[in-house]
Amino acid sequence: MTLVSIGPVTNDLIISGENKQSKTGGACYFQSFVFEEFFNDYLIITNCGDDELINDFPNSDKVELIKKADTHYFINEYPDISNRDVRIQSTNFANIPITKNDLEDILPESIDAFILNPLNRYDFPKVTVEYLAGFNVPIFMSIQGFLRVPGDEVNGNHTIKLEDFDDLYVILSDVDVIFMDESEKTILRNNIDVDEVVITNGSHGSRVVFKDNEYKINAVKCDDILDSTGCGDTYMAAYISKKLTTNSVLKSANFASKIASDKLGFSGPYKSDI
């Protein structure tokens, strides 16, 4: 069963109190560490202008790079180290879309599911999503990037605002499972016509709306939280890994909650041997 995860890799600056660290990031990057452990048959397709970032993935042989003229850059600031649910973000809003032409020659012959990880509204044009929907396999997608628009400019980057837009619902019509957090859900003006919606809420847990049922999942406590950047991406990858092998919403959500909690306990992406 081949899983194809698509989206940008990023160059990040993490600010936690007085501590500053430059790190590789992006949803695909954090997801790859979960897949390497729990779902071996995967391919990452990512776009950036810095080839060196690919070396930070756990298995560069499973990464296809779409070389672009720019790279996504994010600043993630945690002003209160005792409350990792509070994060201030800014970004360069890189305009480096992933197009149908980018993908046509690098997609594997056998594909069982796609994961789409937009970090801003430029990343996945509507025609790209329509093209991928033509493969008639499940599409999992995080919507957070589609909601992001530039706010105030700060040293060449922009703060992030969340805004809904009409084409979002056209794009979502081609998607099977959607991931978002509670703050993103409040931005949506219309109901989403998707059978499976996963909504995370940091230390308050998560919930899954599946057809006519809603499952509430408690967060797994982490006694020593070191780094919450990428925790939502880790949850998403763990959920998908379990869902594709068990087809159980409840098992998938509980597993994802546990793996996301494990990731909180150390700096950087998920590792099983910590």
PDB file of all heavy atoms in Angstrom, residues 135-159:
ATOM      1  N   PHE A 135      -7.043  10.150  -9.666  1.00  0.00           N
ATOM      2  CA  PHE A 135      -6.459   8.830  -9.407  1.00  0.00           C
ATOM      3  C   PHE A 135      -7.430   7.929  -8.653  1.00  0.00           C
ATOM      4  O   PHE A 135      -7.175   6.732  -8.488  1.00  0.00           O
ATOM      5  CB  PHE A 135      -5.156   8.977  -8.612  1.00  0.00           C
ATOM      6  CG  PHE A 135      -3.995   9.468  -9.425  1.00  0.00           C
ATOM      7  CD1 PHE A 135      -3.862  10.816  -9.744  1.00  0.00           C
ATOM      8  CD2 PHE A 135      -3.033   8.587  -9.899  1.00  0.00           C
ATOM      9  CE1 PHE A 135      -2.797  11.274 -10.493  1.00  0.00           C
ATOM     10  CE2 PHE A 135      -1.957   9.039 -10.659  1.00  0.00           C
ATOM     11  CZ  PHE A 135      -1.838  10.378 -10.967  1.00  0.00           C
ATOM     12  N   ASN A 136      -8.514   8.501  -8.157  1.00  0.00           N
ATOM     13  CA  ASN A 136      -9.581   7.743  -7.486  1.00  0.00           C
ATOM     14  C   ASN A 136      -9.060   6.931  -6.295  1.00  0.00           C
ATOM     15  O   ASN A 136      -9.410   5.760  -6.114  1.00  0.00           O
ATOM     16  CB  ASN A 136     -10.296   6.821  -8.485  1.00  0.00           C
ATOM     17  CG  ASN A 136     -11.023   7.600  -9.556  1.00  0.00           C
ATOM     18  OD1 ASN A 136     -11.719   8.570  -9.262  1.00  0.00           O
ATOM     19  ND2 ASN A 136     -10.855   7.200 -10.813  1.00  0.00           N
ATOM     20  N   VAL A 137      -8.206   7.568  -5.504  1.00  0.00           N
ATOM     21  CA  VAL A 137      -7.749   6.985  -4.242  1.00  0.00           C
ATOM     22  C   VAL A 137      -8.060   7.996  -3.141  1.00  0.00           C
ATOM     23  O   VAL A 137      -8.280   9.183  -3.424  1.00  0.00           O
ATOM     24  CB  VAL A 137      -6.242   6.651  -4.275  1.00  0.00           C
ATOM     25  CG1 VAL A 137      -5.938   5.636  -5.379  1.00  0.00           C
ATOM     26  CG2 VAL A 137      -5.397   7.913  -4.440  1.00  0.00           C
ATOM     27  N   PRO A 138      -8.103   7.565  -1.881  1.00  0.00           N
ATOM     28  CA  PRO A 138      -8.408   8.512  -0.801  1.00  0.00           C
ATOM     29  C   PRO A 138      -7.408   9.671  -0.748  1.00  0.00           C
ATOM     30  O   PRO A 138      -6.206   9.489  -0.951  1.00  0.00           O
ATOM     31  CB  PRO A 138      -8.305   7.650   0.464  1.00  0.00           C
ATOM     32  CG  PRO A 138      -8.549   6.257  -0.010  1.00  0.00           C
ATOM     33  CD  PRO A 138      -7.964   6.178  -1.383  1.00  0.00           C
ATOM     34  N   ILE A 139      -7.931  10.876  -0.481  1.00  0.00           N
ATOM     35  CA  ILE A 139      -7.096  12.056  -0.289  1.00  0.00           C
ATOM     36  C   ILE A 139      -7.321  12.578   1.127  1.00  0.00           C
ATOM     37  O   ILE A 139      -8.443  12.904   1.513  1.00  0.00           O
ATOM     38  CB  ILE A 139      -7.420  13.163  -1.301  1.00  0.00           C
ATOM     39  CG1 ILE A 139      -7.093  12.696  -2.724  1.00  0.00           C
ATOM     40  CG2 ILE A 139      -6.642  14.436  -0.983  1.00  0.00           C
ATOM     41  CD1 ILE A 139      -7.411  13.722  -3.794  1.00  0.00           C
ATOM     42  N   PHE A 140      -6.240  12.617   1.900  1.00  0.00           N
ATOM     43  CA  PHE A 140      -6.235  13.203   3.233  1.00  0.00           C
ATOM     44  C   PHE A 140      -5.622  14.592   3.105  1.00  0.00           C
ATOM     45  O   PHE A 140      -4.610  14.764   2.436  1.00  0.00           O
ATOM     46  CB  PHE A 140      -5.385  12.373   4.197  1.00  0.00           C
ATOM     47  CG  PHE A 140      -5.837  10.947   4.372  1.00  0.00           C
ATOM     48  CD1 PHE A 140      -5.469   9.959   3.467  1.00  0.00           C
ATOM     49  CD2 PHE A 140      -6.609  10.583   5.463  1.00  0.00           C
ATOM     50  CE1 PHE A 140      -5.864   8.640   3.627  1.00  0.00           C
ATOM     51  CE2 PHE A 140      -7.015   9.270   5.646  1.00  0.00           C
ATOM     52  CZ  PHE A 140      -6.645   8.288   4.727  1.00  0.00           C
ATOM     53  N   MET A 141      -6.203  15.591   3.790  1.00  0.00           N
ATOM     54  CA  MET A 141      -5.663  16.934   3.644  1.00  0.00           C
ATOM     55  C   MET A 141      -5.827  17.749   4.918  1.00  0.00           C
ATOM     56  O   MET A 141      -6.877  17.718   5.560  1.00  0.00           O
ATOM     57  CB  MET A 141      -6.332  17.684   2.493  1.00  0.00           C
ATOM     58  CG  MET A 141      -5.659  19.005   2.161  1.00  0.00           C
ATOM     59  SD  MET A 141      -6.415  19.841   0.731  1.00  0.00           S
ATOM     60  CE  MET A 141      -7.888  20.500   1.497  1.00  0.00           C
ATOM     61  N   SER A 142      -4.783  18.484   5.265  1.00  0.00           N
ATOM     62  CA  SER A 142      -4.861  19.520   6.291  1.00  0.00           C
ATOM     63  C   SER A 142      -5.274  20.821   5.616  1.00  0.00           C
ATOM     64  O   SER A 142      -4.709  21.195   4.590  1.00  0.00           O
ATOM     65  CB  SER A 142      -3.495  19.691   6.961  1.00  0.00           C
ATOM     66  OG  SER A 142      -3.468  20.869   7.729  1.00  0.00           O
ATOM     67  N   ILE A 143      -6.237  21.536   6.201  1.00  0.00           N
ATOM     68  CA  ILE A 143      -6.713  22.749   5.531  1.00  0.00           C
ATOM     69  C   ILE A 143      -6.028  24.022   6.021  1.00  0.00           C
ATOM     70  O   ILE A 143      -6.260  25.093   5.466  1.00  0.00           O
ATOM     71  CB  ILE A 143      -8.244  22.929   5.661  1.00  0.00           C
ATOM     72  CG1 ILE A 143      -8.636  23.326   7.082  1.00  0.00           C
ATOM     73  CG2 ILE A 143      -8.975  21.689   5.209  1.00  0.00           C
ATOM     74  CD1 ILE A 143     -10.056  23.836   7.166  1.00  0.00           C
ATOM     75  N   GLN A 144      -5.165  23.922   7.042  1.00  0.00           N
ATOM     76  CA  GLN A 144      -4.660  25.144   7.667  1.00  0.00           C
ATOM     77  C   GLN A 144      -3.981  26.078   6.681  1.00  0.00           C
ATOM     78  O   GLN A 144      -4.160  27.296   6.737  1.00  0.00           O
ATOM     79  CB  GLN A 144      -3.704  24.828   8.823  1.00  0.00           C
ATOM     80  CG  GLN A 144      -2.417  24.174   8.426  1.00  0.00           C
ATOM     81  CD  GLN A 144      -1.420  24.087   9.568  1.00  0.00           C
ATOM     82  OE1 GLN A 144      -0.247  23.868   9.325  1.00  0.00           O
ATOM     83  NE2 GLN A 144      -1.852  24.233  10.790  1.00  0.00           N
ATOM     84  N   GLY A 145      -3.198  25.539   5.744  1.00  0.00           N
ATOM     85  CA  GLY A 145      -2.491  26.389   4.800  1.00  0.00           C
ATOM     86  C   GLY A 145      -3.425  27.186   3.910  1.00  0.00           C
ATOM     87  O   GLY A 145      -3.139  28.340   3.572  1.00  0.00           O
ATOM     88  N   PHE A 146      -4.548  26.591   3.547  1.00  0.00           N
ATOM     89  CA  PHE A 146      -5.504  27.284   2.680  1.00  0.00           C
ATOM     90  C   PHE A 146      -6.141  28.487   3.375  1.00  0.00           C
ATOM     91  O   PHE A 146      -6.621  29.407   2.710  1.00  0.00           O
ATOM     92  CB  PHE A 146      -6.593  26.331   2.215  1.00  0.00           C
ATOM     93  CG  PHE A 146      -6.182  25.434   1.085  1.00  0.00           C
ATOM     94  CD1 PHE A 146      -6.201  24.059   1.227  1.00  0.00           C
ATOM     95  CD2 PHE A 146      -5.769  25.959  -0.128  1.00  0.00           C
ATOM     96  CE1 PHE A 146      -5.820  23.229   0.185  1.00  0.00           C
ATOM     97  CE2 PHE A 146      -5.384  25.136  -1.175  1.00  0.00           C
ATOM     98  CZ  PHE A 146      -5.406  23.768  -1.012  1.00  0.00           C
ATOM     99  N   LEU A 147      -6.167  28.470   4.696  1.00  0.00           N
ATOM    100  CA  LEU A 147      -6.792  29.566   5.436  1.00  0.00           C
ATOM    101  C   LEU A 147      -5.832  30.715   5.717  1.00  0.00           C
ATOM    102  O   LEU A 147      -6.259  31.804   6.109  1.00  0.00           O
ATOM    103  CB  LEU A 147      -7.350  29.043   6.765  1.00  0.00           C
ATOM    104  CG  LEU A 147      -8.439  27.970   6.675  1.00  0.00           C
ATOM    105  CD1 LEU A 147      -8.830  27.509   8.073  1.00  0.00           C
ATOM    106  CD2 LEU A 147      -9.666  28.480   5.920  1.00  0.00           C
ATOM    107  N   ARG A 148      -4.556  30.521   5.520  1.00  0.00           N
ATOM    108  CA  ARG A 148      -3.556  31.525   5.892  1.00  0.00           C
ATOM    109  C   ARG A 148      -3.441  32.639   4.862  1.00  0.00           C
ATOM    110  O   ARG A 148      -3.287  32.378   3.668  1.00  0.00           O
ATOM    111  CB  ARG A 148      -2.188  30.853   6.052  1.00  0.00           C
ATOM    112  CG  ARG A 148      -2.065  29.993   7.294  1.00  0.00           C
ATOM    113  CD  ARG A 148      -0.765  29.218   7.282  1.00  0.00           C
ATOM    114  NE  ARG A 148      -0.537  28.548   8.556  1.00  0.00           N
ATOM    115  CZ  ARG A 148       0.319  27.550   8.720  1.00  0.00           C
ATOM    116  NH1 ARG A 148       1.031  27.111   7.691  1.00  0.00           N
ATOM    117  NH2 ARG A 148       0.488  26.999   9.906  1.00  0.00           N
ATOM    118  N   VAL A 149      -3.494  33.868   5.353  1.00  0.00           N
ATOM    119  CA  VAL A 149      -3.262  35.049   4.521  1.00  0.00           C
ATOM    120  C   VAL A 149      -2.308  35.972   5.271  1.00  0.00           C
ATOM    121  O   VAL A 149      -2.229  35.939   6.511  1.00  0.00           O
ATOM    122  CB  VAL A 149      -4.569  35.789   4.171  1.00  0.00           C
ATOM    123  CG1 VAL A 149      -5.473  34.919   3.308  1.00  0.00           C
ATOM    124  CG2 VAL A 149      -5.289  36.229   5.443  1.00  0.00           C
ATOM    125  N   PRO A 150      -1.550  36.827   4.546  1.00  0.00           N
ATOM    126  CA  PRO A 150      -0.570  37.691   5.217  1.00  0.00           C
ATOM    127  C   PRO A 150      -1.226  38.736   6.117  1.00  0.00           C
ATOM    128  O   PRO A 150      -2.212  39.372   5.757  1.00  0.00           O
ATOM    129  CB  PRO A 150       0.158  38.363   4.043  1.00  0.00           C
ATOM    130  CG  PRO A 150      -0.108  37.493   2.864  1.00  0.00           C
ATOM    131  CD  PRO A 150      -1.464  36.915   3.083  1.00  0.00           C
ATOM    132  N   GLY A 151      -0.625  38.899   7.295  1.00  0.00           N
ATOM    133  CA  GLY A 151      -1.007  39.973   8.201  1.00  0.00           C
ATOM    134  C   GLY A 151       0.037  41.067   8.162  1.00  0.00           C
ATOM    135  O   GLY A 151       0.554  41.416   7.094  1.00  0.00           O
ATOM    136  N   ASP A 152       0.365  41.599   9.304  1.00  0.00           N
ATOM    137  CA  ASP A 152       1.348  42.683   9.381  1.00  0.00           C
ATOM    138  C   ASP A 152       2.734  42.198   8.968  1.00  0.00           C
ATOM    139  O   ASP A 152       3.111  41.050   9.222  1.00  0.00           O
ATOM    140  CB  ASP A 152       1.409  43.237  10.805  1.00  0.00           C
ATOM    141  CG  ASP A 152       0.098  43.871  11.238  1.00  0.00           C
ATOM    142  OD1 ASP A 152      -0.624  44.360  10.352  1.00  0.00           O
ATOM    143  OD2 ASP A 152      -0.193  43.848  12.446  1.00  0.00           O
ATOM    144  N   GLU A 153       3.497  43.094   8.335  1.00  0.00           N
ATOM    145  CA  GLU A 153       4.858  42.744   7.945  1.00  0.00           C
ATOM    146  C   GLU A 153       5.801  42.974   9.124  1.00  0.00           C
ATOM    147  O   GLU A 153       5.758  44.005   9.796  1.00  0.00           O
ATOM    148  CB  GLU A 153       5.313  43.585   6.754  1.00  0.00           C
ATOM    149  CG  GLU A 153       6.683  43.168   6.231  1.00  0.00           C
ATOM    150  CD  GLU A 153       7.070  43.882   4.952  1.00  0.00           C
ATOM    151  OE1 GLU A 153       6.207  44.593   4.388  1.00  0.00           O
ATOM    152  OE2 GLU A 153       8.224  43.746   4.528  1.00  0.00           O
ATOM    153  N   VAL A 154       6.671  41.978   9.351  1.00  0.00           N
ATOM    154  CA  VAL A 154       7.650  42.036  10.438  1.00  0.00           C
ATOM    155  C   VAL A 154       8.993  41.568   9.895  1.00  0.00           C
ATOM    156  O   VAL A 154       9.184  40.376   9.624  1.00  0.00           O
ATOM    157  CB  VAL A 154       7.231  41.161  11.644  1.00  0.00           C
ATOM    158  CG1 VAL A 154       8.268  41.263  12.758  1.00  0.00           C
ATOM    159  CG2 VAL A 154       5.856  41.545  12.147  1.00  0.00           C
ATOM    160  N   ASN A 155       9.926  42.494   9.683  1.00  0.00           N
ATOM    161  CA  ASN A 155      11.275  42.150   9.213  1.00  0.00           C
ATOM    162  C   ASN A 155      11.257  41.295   7.939  1.00  0.00           C
ATOM    163  O   ASN A 155      11.988  40.314   7.824  1.00  0.00           O
ATOM    164  CB  ASN A 155      12.052  41.425  10.312  1.00  0.00           C
ATOM    165  CG  ASN A 155      12.274  42.293  11.538  1.00  0.00           C
ATOM    166  OD1 ASN A 155      12.476  43.500  11.427  1.00  0.00           O
ATOM    167  ND2 ASN A 155      12.216  41.689  12.724  1.00  0.00           N
ATOM    168  N   GLY A 156      10.418  41.675   6.999  1.00  0.00           N
ATOM    169  CA  GLY A 156      10.375  40.969   5.723  1.00  0.00           C
ATOM    170  C   GLY A 156       9.438  39.784   5.678  1.00  0.00           C
ATOM    171  O   GLY A 156       9.147  39.254   4.596  1.00  0.00           O
ATOM    172  N   ASN A 157       8.958  39.325   6.826  1.00  0.00           N
ATOM    173  CA  ASN A 157       7.965  38.260   6.885  1.00  0.00           C
ATOM    174  C   ASN A 157       6.614  38.855   7.266  1.00  0.00           C
ATOM    175  O   ASN A 157       6.502  40.051   7.540  1.00  0.00           O
ATOM    176  CB  ASN A 157       8.375  37.194   7.905  1.00  0.00           C
ATOM    177  CG  ASN A 157       9.603  36.440   7.468  1.00  0.00           C
ATOM    178  OD1 ASN A 157       9.732  36.069   6.301  1.00  0.00           O
ATOM    179  ND2 ASN A 157      10.524  36.218   8.397  1.00  0.00           N
ATOM    180  N   HIS A 158       5.600  38.018   7.280  1.00  0.00           N
ATOM    181  CA  HIS A 158       4.260  38.480   7.630  1.00  0.00           C
ATOM    182  C   HIS A 158       3.696  37.618   8.748  1.00  0.00           C
ATOM    183  O   HIS A 158       3.892  36.395   8.767  1.00  0.00           O
ATOM    184  CB  HIS A 158       3.319  38.398   6.423  1.00  0.00           C
ATOM    185  CG  HIS A 158       3.617  39.404   5.359  1.00  0.00           C
ATOM    186  ND1 HIS A 158       3.011  40.639   5.319  1.00  0.00           N
ATOM    187  CD2 HIS A 158       4.455  39.359   4.301  1.00  0.00           C
ATOM    188  CE1 HIS A 158       3.462  41.314   4.272  1.00  0.00           C
ATOM    189  NE2 HIS A 158       4.339  40.557   3.641  1.00  0.00           N
ATOM    190  N   THR A 159       2.985  38.262   9.666  1.00  0.00           N
ATOM    191  CA  THR A 159       2.192  37.492  10.603  1.00  0.00           C
ATOM    192  C   THR A 159       1.095  36.774   9.822  1.00  0.00           C
ATOM    193  O   THR A 159       0.834  37.084   8.656  1.00  0.00           O
ATOM    194  CB  THR A 159       1.572  38.393  11.682  1.00  0.00           C
ATOM    195  OG1 THR A 159       0.739  39.373  11.043  1.00  0.00           O
ATOM    196  CG2 THR A 159       2.653  39.087  12.489  1.00  0.00           C
TER     197      THR A 159
END
